[in-house]
Amino acid sequence: MAAPTTLKGPTRDFLGWPFFDDSHKALAEKLDAFAASGALSHIDHSDTDGACRAIVKALGEAGLLDAATGAGGSQPIDSRAACLTRETLAWHDGLADFAFAMQGLGTGAIGLSGTEDLRRTILPKAQSGEWISAFALSEKEAGSDVAAMACSARKDGDHYVLDGEKTWISNGGIADVYTVFVRTGEAPGTRGISAFVVFADDPGFSIAERIDVLAPHPLATIRFENCRIPASRMLGSPGEGFKIAMRTLDIFRASVAAAALGFAKRALDEAVAYAKARPMFGNHLSDLQLTQAAFGDMAAEIDAGALLTYRAAWRRDVQGLPTTKEAAMAKMVATENAQKVIDRAVQIFGGRGVKSGEITESLYREIRALRIYEGATEVQKLIIARELLKA
């Protein structure tokens, strides 16, 4: 989202909430300094693949990928740091948020369940930005219904042979390493899924199709044809893939909510600045009560999402408790509320709000996918209900 603005960056009042400590305040200063350096604005976003590579490199050189990879696997991932980073990057640049998030999601399962050799080989390179990672779970007939997965792997001596396709794979086509979930058949449904590490240069691996979406980022269908990889590249044990995927998503699902907060806060900041400067009926747009009422709704909706988001992250980091329900609540509320906030911002900007290249138009495209990926809103409702019914 490379639209000009006089705004310098997001406000930091919320860092006074009890969810944060001094390390998060220091991270916020580091993020603000990185954004102010122009490292993102100097990257040509017209070439999405090239821009994504350049952003990952810039984030790595600035030490900002530590929050996504657990400092290259040397320490546990701090959920609050990941959320704070995503919120800040999303405020400044949607593709930067995407690039950061995928370095975490693509390597999260490796950090959780990979062998020491895999961790040592992959995580430091992802942390530095030398390697780009991807998370390959979805298929054409298996999105929310993971148990319908058809892509498979068969054991052949000390190797596994993968066949089938994965689609909607973020970083597909530019990633160096993929965490791939396939059916190995130990049991029916999700109990027969295993996870593997696949490298982009493995024989039998290819890009079947590149996919264009509303907010451009690298996305593809990937294909495996007799793709033979060592059994040592399995993550965890046979049949544990679904559990590994869900543990990974539990870590990063709250960060999706944080990205939505960044987009929503940028929309509100831009709308307030615009309304205060826009002449209207002999005064300014901001003086109209309907505009003020909209701002009241927008601010409250953002804070509601923020409180749920950082509660979920704090619960995981500090209390060490499961966050399946809490992260689902955060993801559902923050993304849905952000859609409302950004839609109102577009309305406040009027015709200018839908003009290509305007910040509101860009934010409108950015937010829509967040209500779908890493579990659509409807799925989050089911997760919340399931957790309640367990009690």
Side-chain angles (χ1 to χ4, degrees):
M1 67 184 71
T5 179
T6 58
L7 300 175
K8 301 297 184 182
T11 59
R12 296 300 186 190
D13 297 347
F14 69 101
L15 288 175
W17 294 354
F19 300 125
F20 303 99
D21 57 36
D22 289 343
S23 70
H24 301 109
K25 295 172 185 176
L27 174 60
E29 292 178 0
K30 187 175 182 179
L31 287 161
D32 291 341
F34 173 75
S37 73
L40 295 175
S41 60
H42 294 157
I43 293 172
D44 178 11
H45 282 53
S46 63
D47 172 11
T48 303
D49 287 1
C52 197
R53 292 189 184 97
I55 289 169
V56 170
K57 182 179 179 182
L59 292 172
E61 290 175 347
L64 294 175
L65 293 176
D66 289 11
T69 65
S74 64
Q75 60 189 14
I77 292 173
D78 183 276
S79 294
R80 290 165 295 169
C83 287
L84 180 59
T85 303
R86 288 202 67 178
E87 179 179 333
T88 303
L89 292 176
W91 192 97
H92 286 283
D93 186 317
L95 191 60
D97 163 64
F98 162 82
F100 170 86
M102 286 314 306
Q103 289 299 96
L105 188 60
T107 60
I110 298 169
L112 287 171
S113 303
T115 63
E116 181 60 32
D117 184 57
L118 285 173
R119 289 162 54 88
R120 187 171 55 249
T121 299
I122 297 168
L123 297 182
K125 291 183 177 179
Q127 174 200 19
S128 69
E130 180 182 351
W131 280 5
I132 293 176
S133 65
F135 182 85
L137 180 65
S138 296
E139 299 180 10
K140 289 182 179 178
E141 304 299 332
S144 298
D145 182 10
V146 178
M149 183 181 298
C151 190
S152 65
R154 67 180 187 277
K155 189 80 158 45
D156 184 11
D158 57 356
H159 286 71
Y160 277 86
V161 180
L162 280 61
D163 286 289
E165 289 187 350
K166 295 285 178 180
T167 195
W168 305 112
I169 307 307
S170 293
N171 277 346
I174 69 167
D176 301 282
V177 58
Y178 295 77
T179 296
V180 181
F181 299 87
V182 295
R183 181 163 301 286
T184 44
E186 289 76 18
T190 57
R191 292 177 297 160
I193 294 171
S194 300
F196 295 89
V197 170
V198 175
F199 295 112
D201 59 359
D202 281 334
F205 171 84
S206 63
I207 304 302
E209 176 191 17
R210 294 300 299 269
I211 304 171
D212 294 325
V213 288
L214 281 173
H217 67 260
L219 193 71
T221 298
I222 61 176
R223 179 176 294 154
F224 305 96
E225 295 178 286
N226 200 34
C227 181
R228 186 178 178 86
I229 62 173
S232 59
R233 289 210 225 142
M234 177 181 281
L235 302 177
S237 300
E240 289 187 346
F242 179 75
K243 290 181 180 180
I244 292 169
M246 294 306 104
R247 287 177 64 200
T248 305
L249 290 171
D250 272 352
I251 293 172
F252 290 101
R253 184 167 282 141
S255 80
V256 181
L261 293 176
F263 293 140
K265 288 183 178 182
R266 180 65 180 273
L268 177 57
D269 291 345
E270 295 283 352
V272 168
Y274 176 76
K276 289 167 72 175
R278 177 74 160 95
M280 184 71 68
F281 301 122
N283 216 319
H284 289 92
L285 179 59
S286 60
D287 294 308
L288 300 180
Q289 287 186 328
L290 283 174
T291 305
Q292 294 171 10
F295 288 155
D297 286 338
M298 294 160 80
E301 285 161 351
I302 289 171
D303 269 15
L307 287 164
L308 286 172
T309 298
Y310 287 108
R311 178 194 64 165
W314 173 83
R315 178 180 167 93
R316 178 180 179 274
D317 291 342
V318 177
Q319 294 185 304
L321 295 172
T323 60
T324 300
K325 180 180 69 175
E326 291 75 14
M329 287 180 173
K331 203 265 186 185
M332 176 182 74
V333 172
T335 57
E336 291 292 331
N337 283 3
Q339 181 79 68
K340 297 175 188 176
V341 168
I342 293 168
D343 186 71
R344 286 197 190 94
V346 170
Q347 197 75 5
I348 287 168
F349 270 76
R352 181 179 162 186
V354 293
K355 181 182 176 183
S356 180
E358 288 287 345
I359 186 64
T360 46
E361 179 266 347
S362 177
L363 288 166
Y364 200 85
R365 289 186 287 104
E366 291 283 359
I367 191 57
R368 190 57 186 86
L370 269 67
R371 295 168 58 205
I372 298 173
Y373 75 67
E374 290 193 41
T377 295
E378 292 76 12
V379 173
Q380 304 310 320
K381 292 179 181 180
L382 296 177
I383 291 172
I384 295 165
R386 182 189 65 200
E387 293 299 309
L388 287 172
L389 292 170
K390 282 182 181 179

